[in-house]
Amino acid sequence: MPKSPGPGLARPPVKSERRIWKRFPIYTEVWCQPKTKGAEEKLPALVLNISRGGLKLVSAHKLDAGTLFRIGKANNGDRSTAALSARVVHVAPENGNMWSMGCAFTPKLDEDRLQEWIALADKEP
């Protein structure tokens, strides 16, 4: 009868990729505006990755799971991008009193809008 490997030799379970859309790493400053009655403040955040289905935000401002918000490019200058709509799906604490938020676009982005956001991030100084 074969022996099973010791605890140090066992492989960890492989985590399957469940994402539908390919994610693109970007690092771009944005503003977020929660869609709550009377909320007009635009909160600063960073986008760390983006896909047709959503994005990952990091901010000092926590948006709770389920929060609907608008997101736009900060310091857009003469370049024009319309604000996008998204919903926070999950929230996790990060180092330095920051929050990581996984967000889903409502509706999903088409390929042109996705490429527009990626191109804008590439042009940042």
Side-chain angles (χ1 to χ4, degrees):
M1 178 184 254
K3 292 184 180 181
S4 63
L9 300 177
R11 285 195 217 172
V14 176
K15 210 174 191 182
S16 65
E17 179 61 57
R18 297 183 302 163
R19 294 182 179 135
I20 297 171
W21 308 108
K22 179 180 178 187
R23 294 203 173 253
F24 297 91
I26 64 172
Y27 184 86
T28 190
E29 295 180 13
V30 295
W31 53 261
C32 299
Q33 186 176 36
K35 291 183 179 181
T36 56
K37 192 173 185 177
E40 295 187 22
E41 183 180 10
K42 292 181 178 178
L43 308 171
L46 293 172
V47 176
L48 299 185
N49 65 48
I50 190 168
S51 74
R52 288 186 59 191
L55 51 81
K56 179 180 181 180
L57 285 177
V58 174
S59 179
H61 304 277
K62 179 183 178 188
L63 298 176
D64 294 322
T67 300
L68 293 171
F69 65 96
R70 291 179 42 218
I71 181 171
K73 183 79 177 62
N75 304 322
N76 210 17
D78 60 344
R79 296 180 294 240
S80 177
T81 56
L84 304 173
S85 294
R87 177 180 49 85
V88 178
V89 176
H90 59 83
V91 181
E94 291 284 333
N95 292 335
N97 295 323
M98 301 292 281
W99 296 95
S100 171
M101 294 162 278
C103 307
F105 289 124
T106 56
K108 307 286 185 251
L109 295 186
D110 62 29
E111 189 64 29
D112 290 340
R113 290 296 302 274
L114 173 64
Q115 293 305 320
E116 179 183 333
W117 272 72
I118 293 169
L120 284 176
D122 289 342
K123 291 179 184 177
E124 285 189 346

